[in-house]
Amino acid sequence: MTHIGTPPYLASTVWLQGKVGPRQLKTRDYTRALIESNSPTGMVLTVPVAGGSSAVKRLSPAMLEVSDHGDWTRIHLGAIEAAYGREPYFQHFFPEIADAIVHYPQHLARLNVLLVEKMLNFIGYDEAIEDIRNLRTANQQRCAAIANRLESKIDPAHSFLEAIFRLGPDAIFLLG
């Protein structure tokens, strides 16, 4: 992964690709994720934080604490299931994500890191990324064609969950 520091909530494919960096994000962006919906622009999921919008305006992402206000975990999981429940890898990965969201840690930054770790572990990132990069170096056109074909099946602005639920372990080709 190219970024160091806190990822946004359910980080997008473009964030994991390094196309969006920390300087391009506002603090509120760390509390939000975009997923597929019946709206052309998608659906934004927002994690409530202790202190609300005033905390988001005055604190760094690392200082934000997740609030238990509302029923956000059920709402987020329901929206994710509605968006991706029919995708081929949904049943294989959703329980892990659901567990992390339901049993969220106190700090937003820790939740966000945990979710990205789970996504990367599911696609075997640590084990396979060097091989993917070596393959890309040896055969740039072929790998670019694979990545373009896979990227055409997702919206890169959406959470990387979309790539995982649709593509499974092949989603790693989007990150190499």
Side-chain angles (χ1 to χ4, degrees):
M1 194 167 68
T2 57
H3 296 296
I4 296 177
T6 304
Y9 177 60
L10 295 171
S12 67
T13 300
V14 290
W15 189 88
L16 288 167
Q17 290 171 329
K19 295 177 181 175
V20 175
R23 290 190 181 117
Q24 295 164 285
L25 298 177
K26 295 178 169 78
T27 301
R28 73 169 185 254
D29 296 327
Y30 289 90
T31 67
R32 297 178 177 176
L34 184 62
I35 64 168
E36 184 175 273
S37 76
N38 54 7
S39 163
T41 57
M43 173 187 282
V44 176
L45 302 177
T46 304
V47 177
V49 295
S53 62
S54 67
V56 171
K57 289 176 186 169
R58 61 183 167 75
L59 298 174
S60 71
M63 302 293 294
L64 295 175
E65 292 185 9
V66 179
S67 172
D68 60 359
H69 180 74
D71 197 9
W72 75 270
T73 58
R74 185 188 59 76
I75 292 167
H76 286 209
L77 295 176
I80 292 167
E81 186 170 7
Y84 305 114
R86 294 179 181 241
E87 298 296 345
Y89 291 91
F90 180 84
Q91 67 183 358
H92 302 288
F93 186 56
F94 182 72
E96 253 188 88
I97 287 297
D99 185 61
I101 291 173
V102 168
H103 300 103
Y104 59 88
Q106 179 179 359
H107 288 91
L108 177 70
R110 180 66 196 126
L111 172 63
N112 294 355
V113 167
L114 178 66
L115 291 168
V116 167
E117 287 172 351
K118 288 186 177 295
M119 288 190 272
L120 295 178
N121 286 340
F122 184 78
I123 63 170
Y125 183 88
D126 288 340
E127 299 81 20
I129 195 61
E130 283 307 312
D131 290 338
I132 299 293
R133 289 180 179 149
N134 290 338
L135 182 63
R136 182 157 286 157
T137 300
N139 200 336
Q140 289 180 332
Q141 289 179 327
R142 174 100 172 112
C143 286
I146 291 169
N148 288 339
R149 182 177 53 80
L150 294 174
E151 196 165 298
S152 73
K153 297 174 187 241
I154 64 157
D155 183 334
H158 289 177
S159 170
F160 191 61
L161 285 179
E162 183 167 295
I164 291 173
F165 290 146
R166 287 201 181 133
L167 308 171
D170 287 350
I172 195 169
F173 283 95
L174 299 170
L175 305 182

